[in-house]
Amino acid sequence: MRLLHTSDWHLGRAFHRVNMLDAQAEFIGHVVTTVREQRVDAVLVSGDVYDRAVPPLAAVELFDDALHRLADLGVPTVMISGNHDSARRLGVGAGLIDRAGIHLRTEPSACGIPVVLSDAHGDVAFYGLPYLEPALVKDEFAVARAGHESVLAAAMERVRADLATRAPGARSVVLAHAFVTGGEASDSERDITVGGVAAVPAGVFDGVDYTALGHLHGSQTITERVRYSGSPLPYSFSESEHRKSMWLVDLDAEGAVTAERVDCPVPRALARIRGTLEDLLADPGLARHEEAWVEATLTDPVRPADPMARLAERFPHTLSLVFDPERAPDDPAVSYARRLAGRSDQQIAEDFVAHVRGAGPDAREQVVLRDAFDTVRADATVREVAR
């Protein structure tokens, strides 16, 4: 069975105020063409279909167009909700849409109920695990403490229990939206840390033939059977080194996996350039970036006059301008943002306590801070979905 694995469409999202809707529409057309030309048997979409819980009308219209085009192909599509989606909104009409071969899986309670497709070698069971917000699903999965690993492990127990009832040799595929240990993040994924932990081990998915992951925006292979497709388009300059693609996965009669990447069309290359303004304007080695979307970091000790206008003369698609003067690490002028770069909310809060009190929080206080951050984040998720 040949599968096309994609995820993280983020319909409705812009790139540094550049409207990406046309590029997203081109990607949908690319999916349809790939399915037809590569004789794909099933399309997998592993979450974050939309960029936010209440997407703009234009994004909803594009999604509607995508559903119709996929249904017209006569090729089944299995799709789950991600942490950016409203599972309830995305799942509206799922039972009816199911009849058209578009299988929306947005309910945590249905993790152990597969979409079963068949080929010449028998059945393949597809299990959709939508994004499982630990604080919201811990009761559904009867876990003692809300955490990504505990709720995903409980969901996978349901998957394995269902698999055990199927004919020997039945093949299996899981779609999941999660941060798996070994994955490389970028700046454009929303933080899903709970209890100080964001990642889950790949071993959670042991026992299935292929796991189609969503959430991280870079295409990557965690194991031969566990992969991220990545987002089809860039959504931050931290993705400048990404090769945007989908996975074309072949599942043989025994459940062995082979996979190859199918490149996605992108509107422009991304470039991150750094140096003084005069160097950036004069360096012949930067000519290759003149038609790219550019993030320029200026290292001039004093902010130059009209830097964006001057950069745009050579790099007309400059979208981001950062000032980062070269200074010694102990220079008091080093920016606050730079000192905080790479630090979690928990670490920043603990540093604040240490600054105010003269000593950092003890173990009990660390737990209180962690629980507070988890509660606020879960509450924000509930309020966003309820809008």
Side-chain angles (χ1 to χ4, degrees):
M1 185 172 287
R2 173 162 283 188
L3 316 174
L4 184 64
H5 167 199
T6 179
S7 72
D8 295 273
W9 294 0
H10 288 279
L11 300 181
R13 186 165 182 166
F15 179 73
H16 287 266
R17 299 178 301 282
V18 174
N19 189 315
M20 297 290 276
L21 204 64
D22 287 345
Q24 291 168 340
E26 184 178 359
F27 164 70
I28 297 300
H30 177 62
V31 169
V32 171
T33 299
T34 301
V35 170
R36 185 183 299 115
E37 293 181 350
Q38 296 294 333
R39 300 182 181 276
V40 169
D41 297 304
V43 178
L44 314 179
V45 186
S46 298
D48 282 355
V49 176
Y50 291 122
D51 188 55
R52 56 182 186 266
V54 185
L57 179 59
V60 177
E61 291 173 339
L62 180 55
F63 179 59
D64 181 64
D65 177 65
L67 292 182
H68 279 86
R69 296 176 73 179
L70 289 168
D72 288 345
L73 290 171
V75 174
T77 297
V78 185
M79 185 179 295
I80 62 172
S81 49
N83 63 301
H84 280 250
D85 299 309
S86 164
R88 292 182 65 183
R89 285 190 174 87
L90 188 64
V92 168
L96 187 62
I97 295 170
D98 201 76
R99 301 178 192 175
I102 308 292
H103 307 285
L104 296 173
R105 293 296 181 263
T106 63
E107 289 292 334
S109 59
C111 285
I113 304 172
V115 175
V116 180
L117 305 177
S118 300
D119 63 9
H121 306 293
D123 290 345
V124 181
F126 292 83
Y127 298 89
L129 277 56
Y131 173 66
L132 302 175
E133 175 61 49
L136 303 183
V137 301
K138 65 183 181 67
D139 292 337
E140 166 65 33
F141 293 105
V143 297
R145 184 173 178 83
H148 288 294
E149 183 174 356
S150 60
V151 296
L152 268 173
M156 284 301 300
E157 286 177 7
R158 296 188 184 183
V159 169
R160 295 187 189 95
D162 182 82
L163 266 178
T165 68
R166 300 194 174 273
R171 291 158 293 165
S172 56
V173 173
V174 163
L175 290 76
H177 197 86
F179 189 164
V180 174
T181 304
E184 183 177 343
S186 66
D187 293 341
S188 49
E189 298 105 8
R190 184 180 293 171
D191 181 29
I192 59 171
T193 300
V194 173
V197 179
V200 300
V204 165
F205 302 105
D206 285 352
V208 297
D209 295 309
Y210 184 69
T211 300
L213 292 174
H215 181 58
L216 299 185
H217 287 188
S219 177
Q220 41 203 303
T221 300
I222 305 300
T223 72
E224 286 304 305
R225 296 185 181 274
V226 180
R227 299 172 187 263
Y228 283 100
S229 68
S231 63
L233 294 166
Y235 293 113
S236 75
F237 277 101
S238 64
E239 301 174 48
S240 60
E241 299 300 319
H242 288 185
R243 173 187 164 195
K244 295 302 182 183
S245 60
M246 305 176 285
W247 284 111
L248 194 62
V249 178
D250 286 312
L251 197 63
D252 75 7
E254 306 301 322
V257 169
T258 57
E260 62 177 287
R261 292 171 74 176
V262 178
D263 290 326
C264 296
V266 294
R268 293 185 186 278
L270 305 187
R272 295 178 117 172
I273 59 178
R274 179 185 178 91
T276 66
L277 179 59
E278 295 304 327
D279 285 347
L280 297 183
L281 295 176
D283 186 352
L286 299 180
R288 67 187 187 278
H289 299 315
E290 290 175 355
E291 294 303 316
W293 279 324
V294 168
E295 178 184 75
T297 299
L298 299 184
T299 60
D300 302 75
V302 177
R303 185 176 300 215
D306 298 322
M308 184 62 104
R310 294 173 66 189
L311 278 167
E313 292 178 2
R314 183 178 187 190
F315 307 102
H317 306 289
T318 300
L319 300 181
S320 175
L321 185 59
V322 180
F323 294 97
D324 187 20
E326 297 288 359
R327 293 190 173 105
D330 58 352
D331 190 317
V334 171
S335 74
Y336 180 68
R338 188 170 173 183
R339 294 199 304 272
L340 297 185
R343 300 183 68 74
S344 67
D345 290 344
Q346 176 89 12
Q347 291 170 321
I348 293 168
E350 290 179 9
D351 288 348
F352 176 75
V353 172
H355 173 74
V356 171
R357 194 170 65 185
D362 59 26
R364 182 185 62 82
E365 292 168 330
Q366 288 175 343
V367 171
V368 170
L369 284 171
R370 185 161 55 244
D371 287 346
F373 280 118
D374 290 349
T375 300
V376 168
R377 195 177 55 78
D379 181 63
T381 300
V382 172
R383 284 188 287 106
E384 182 178 12
V385 170
R387 286 172 56 195

